[in-house]
Every structure is written in structure tokens, then in C-alpha cells.
Amino acid sequence: MTVVKSTLPEPARRVAGDALQSTLVDLLGISLIGKQAHWNIVGPRFRSIHLQLDEVVSVARSYADTVAERSAALGMPPDGRPETIAAAYTLPGPKEGWMRDDEVVRLIADTLETAIGRLRERVDATAEPDPMTQDLLIGITRELEKQRWMFDAENWPRGE
């Protein structure tokens, strides 16, 4: 049952809805990973990265709300229930327990990189069916790329 009538034709609504739901799962997962790392980070850069993690969490939560509201506006009920996120989340996640600051930086950079790759696919998928959703996804991608860059720069130079 559709409570909210969308202005999009049904096939376009499905494409946009799928892209938005997948993005919602990724963003809520990123916020949970960010908090888990925030609580368990140790090391000489504890304070600066601890605070930087709060910024990532804030960005992810804010965009999650915007994504969910876009989905609702299209007549697609967003699903942010814990069991949905747990079942659908596939981005890299933290190990259990304390994490060294360099491990946290690597984890967040890798998680954001994977999320960005998936967002770029959704940007392409929504280009024709719903340019407004595409625009939202482009903005999210831009912000996550900035966050990834900031974390990646923390571990430079890498010992590779």
C-alpha cells in the first residue's frame, strides 16, 4: 500500500527507492561503525581522531535522515530498523574491542571508500529515472569523499 502518492512513474520510483534504501543502510551502518570506533580507539592520536569520528557520525546521521525523507516523499517507506541494517549491511566493520588509532583510520577510510563506490553506482542508476534523487546522492558522495580524504591523510605516509 502506498500512503504517499509519488510523482514518479512506478519503474522510476522503484529504482530511486532501491537506491535510497541501500544508501540509508550504508549511512546508518557508517554511523554505528563510527561510534563503535569512537568508543574503542586508543593511541597517541586518540583525541583528534575521536573528535573526527564524531564528525563522520554526524554527517552520516544527517544524510540518513535526508535520504529517509526523500524515500518517504516518493511513497517508499524507509526501513532503518536494527534488524534491517544488520541483515543488509555489508561495508567493512570494526573488530571487537580496543582499536589502535592507525587501525581506526584505515577502517574508516576503507569503509568510506567502499560506500563511495556503491554511491557512484547509485548515482549512475538514478540519472534518468530520478535526477532529484541522483542530485541528493551526488551531494552525499561529495561529503563522504571529503571525510575519506581527511581520514586517509591521517595515515600518510603509509608504510607500503
Side-chain angles (χ1 to χ4, degrees), residues 5 23 34 37-38 44 47 57 59 68 72 74 77-78 83 90 108-109 117 122 124 157:
K5 180 160 174 42
T23 302
H38 173 87
R47 181 158 173 74
V57 169
V59 163
L74 296 178
E83 59 269 23
T90 59
I108 299 300
R122 295 176 200 135
D124 291 343

Side-chain angles (χ1 to χ4, degrees), residues 47-130:
R47 181 158 173 74
S48 64
I49 296 170
H50 181 80
L51 296 173
Q52 193 175 354
L53 287 163
D54 273 339
E55 185 177 330
V56 169
V57 169
S58 178
V59 163
R61 287 180 177 168
S62 176
Y63 274 121
D65 189 53
T66 303
V67 164
E69 289 174 353
R70 175 69 183 156
S71 184
L74 296 178
M76 306 287 291
D79 190 353
R81 296 172 300 154
E83 59 269 23
T84 301
I85 305 310
Y89 189 79
T90 59
L91 293 174
K95 66 179 188 170
E96 184 179 344
W98 304 115
M99 293 182 66
R100 288 187 26 229
D101 51 8
D102 60 325
E103 293 175 306
V104 168
V105 168
R106 197 167 21 265
L107 168 67
I108 299 300
D110 290 349
T111 299
L112 292 173
E113 184 173 338
T114 303
I116 290 162
R118 290 162 37 162
L119 271 163
R120 287 183 172 279
E121 291 171 6
R122 295 176 200 135
V123 165
D124 291 343
T126 56
E128 187 175 325
D130 186 17

